[in-house]
């Protein structure tokens, strides 16, 4: 396997999605997804593909770019650094006290969106995460047609508790990951790639 920035970001993102749906280590999920986001956004820009962050910034022109990225990297920065002063450490701790697993789904969504924009296809776990997120946040999803397609994939998801919601996604991944129709779809990449 050739290790390239795409392979690195893809590997980190797939691992983060797996950890996320298996309810394991939300801090590592966030760190892996934050790393993947940074790489994928750079790869989008290098390929002249608009990253999802540009869409967010365009839709929120009142929010300064620096502020937007500070919010996007808020927890990741505290995971990576210890403040040099007592005040910085206290501020970081206050931020860390607000961290929970729900913060991960938004960051994972940004990563998957950039991956899809860059590649036009993705491994099945990314597709399932994308659909799951759209059902969880149906108010943010696109057209009524696409919303209904996602809702049909996860019936009753909004009535489930968080553990059950994640298990529903794992069931879809496990049931369909070996399905020849899913694997033959041109929008489905194999889980392992060379470059």
């Amino acid at each position: 396997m050739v290790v390239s920035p795409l392979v690195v970001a893809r590997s980190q993102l797939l691992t983060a999605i797996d950890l996320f749906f298996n309810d394991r280590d939300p801090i590592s999920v966030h760190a892996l997804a934050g790393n993947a986001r940074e790489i994928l956004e750079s790869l989008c820009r290098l390929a002249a593909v608009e990253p999802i962050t540009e869409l967010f910034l365009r839709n929120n022109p009142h929010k300064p770019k620096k502020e937007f990225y500070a919010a996007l990297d808020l927890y990741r920065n505290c995971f990576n650094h210890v403040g040099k002063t007592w005040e910085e450490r206290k501020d970081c701790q206050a931020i860390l006290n607000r961290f929970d697993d729900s913060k991960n789904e938004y960051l994972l969504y940004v990563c998957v969106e950039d991956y899809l924009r860059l590649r036009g296809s993705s491994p099945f776990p990314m597709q399932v995460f994308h659909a799951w997120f759209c059902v969880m946040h149906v108010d943010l999803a696109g057209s009524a047609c696409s919303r209904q397609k996602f809702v049909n994939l996860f019936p009753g998801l909004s009535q489930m508790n968080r553990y059950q919601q994640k298990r529903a996604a794992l069931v879809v991944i496990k049931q369909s990951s070996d399905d020849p129709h899913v694997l033959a779809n041109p929008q489905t990449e194999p889980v392992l790639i060379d470059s």
Side-chain angles (χ1 to χ4, degrees), residues 75-186:
Y75 300 104
R76 182 174 171 231
N77 288 340
C78 288
F79 294 158
N80 291 334
H81 306 287
V82 175
K84 294 176 184 162
T85 66
W86 169 248
E87 195 61 35
E88 286 176 1
R89 288 192 296 277
K90 190 173 110 181
D91 291 346
C92 245
Q93 188 58 54
I95 290 167
L96 291 174
N97 290 343
R98 295 191 309 263
F99 178 76
D100 63 50
D101 181 59
S102 67
K103 309 301 188 283
N104 287 331
E105 62 197 62
Y106 296 96
L107 183 56
L108 288 168
Y109 177 75
V110 168
C111 293
V112 170
E113 274 292 324
D114 277 350
Y115 190 92
L116 289 169
R117 287 164 179 258
L118 183 64
R119 300 278 293 181
S121 59
S122 67
F124 192 64
M126 287 187 204
Q127 294 172 27
V128 172
F129 177 83
H130 189 264
W132 181 89
F133 182 89
C134 289
V135 174
M136 291 292 293
H137 304 279
V138 73
D139 54 316
L140 302 176
S143 69
C145 177
S146 65
R147 277 196 305 265
Q148 194 55 48
K149 177 180 76 171
F150 294 141
V151 170
N152 291 344
L153 185 60
F154 295 108
L157 194 68
S158 62
Q159 285 78 43
M160 297 176 188
N161 66 37
R162 183 114 173 124
Y163 176 84
Q164 293 168 328
Q165 290 168 337
K166 289 183 173 187
R167 289 291 172 250
L170 283 174
V171 167
V172 171
I173 291 170
K174 287 179 179 145
Q175 287 177 344
S176 302
S177 60
D178 293 331
D179 183 326
H181 293 92
V182 170
L183 297 175
N185 186 321

Side-chain angles (χ1 to χ4, degrees), residues 3-68:
V3 178
S4 66
L6 176 66
V7 170
V8 170
R10 189 179 195 278
S11 175
Q12 290 177 331
L13 180 52
L14 285 169
T15 300
I17 290 170
D18 181 62
L19 290 171
F20 176 79
F21 281 141
N22 280 292
D23 255 339
R24 294 179 48 221
D25 200 353
I27 292 168
S28 291
V29 170
H30 203 83
L32 288 166
N35 294 344
R37 185 207 61 77
E38 193 173 316
I39 293 169
L40 288 167
E41 182 175 326
S42 294
L43 290 173
C44 282
R45 291 184 192 287
L46 287 170
V49 172
E50 181 181 54
I52 191 73
T53 51
E54 288 300 322
L55 177 65
F56 293 152
L57 286 166
R58 196 169 48 252
N59 289 341
N60 297 288
H62 60 281
K63 189 157 190 121
K65 191 173 190 173
K66 187 175 180 177
E67 229 178 86
F68 176 79

